[in-house]
Amino acid sequence: MQDYMQMALKEAEAAAARGEVPVGAVIVSATGEILAQAGNRTEGDYNPTAHAEMIVIQAAAAKRGSPRLMDCDLYVTLEPCAMCAGAISFARLRRVVFGAYDLKGGAVEHGARFFSQPTCHHAPEIVGGVEEKVAGELLKDFFLRLR
């Protein structure tokens, strides 16, 4: 678990170096194959939906030739927002492992608590707080530099 989160953290660092909010994500199959990895690209792509989670879900689904990733796990450095939680649900991801909690924009443990809603199509296993301190520091440092 830690190795995959380290990969996601490297993607977050690369995103920060590009001027993006430092969020990184990795999708791994049940056999340990890395299907996709990326960092945020909202600024560079001029696309508000280019969150790291959305990018890796799209890439992994394309690689698999299927919109469903039922045997796959998503590692992401920040608690997913509502948009990303919806995509996670529709992709039928098996597990979501995230780093820092997002009190304002998160929708897994905070806010909408997307996967707890009766209208949710699929709720993955959730593991939060993995490398939370490192992921949180990346975000804090990034926003401090902007001020």
Side-chain angles (χ1 to χ4, degrees):
M1 194 178 297
Q2 295 296 105
D3 291 344
Y4 300 127
M5 186 57 80
Q6 289 301 319
M7 293 174 74
L9 286 164
K10 291 218 180 299
E11 291 292 341
E13 290 168 358
R18 295 189 306 272
E20 301 279 356
V21 174
V23 177
V26 176
I27 290 187
V28 183
S29 75
T31 63
E33 178 187 5
I34 307 300
L35 297 176
Q37 56 190 70
N40 274 0
R41 293 196 317 234
T42 57
E43 299 297 326
D45 289 359
Y46 309 108
N47 180 351
T49 68
H51 290 194
E53 300 97 306
M54 300 294 283
I55 295 166
V56 295
I57 289 169
Q58 291 171 10
K63 186 171 186 173
R64 280 276 180 92
S66 173
R68 286 170 210 78
L69 303 167
M70 294 181 281
D71 67 333
C72 297
D73 299 337
L74 169 68
Y75 292 82
V76 61
T77 59
L78 182 65
E79 177 182 351
C81 70
M83 173 183 68
C84 293
I88 289 164
S89 180
F90 284 119
R92 307 288 196 272
L93 284 161
R94 176 177 67 175
R95 179 182 306 126
V96 174
V97 179
F98 69 86
Y101 291 85
D102 187 349
L103 303 176
K104 184 177 179 183
V108 176
E109 300 288 334
H110 298 90
R113 298 180 192 267
F114 189 91
F115 302 121
S116 299
Q117 300 305 314
T119 55
C120 179
H121 293 282
H122 166 78
E125 176 188 342
I126 301 294
V127 180
V130 176
E131 295 289 350
E132 177 181 8
K133 185 175 181 186
V134 177
E137 289 298 319
L138 272 174
L139 289 158
K140 284 179 197 166
D141 291 347
F142 177 81
F143 287 112
L144 279 174
R145 284 193 304 268
L146 289 181
R147 292 180 190 161

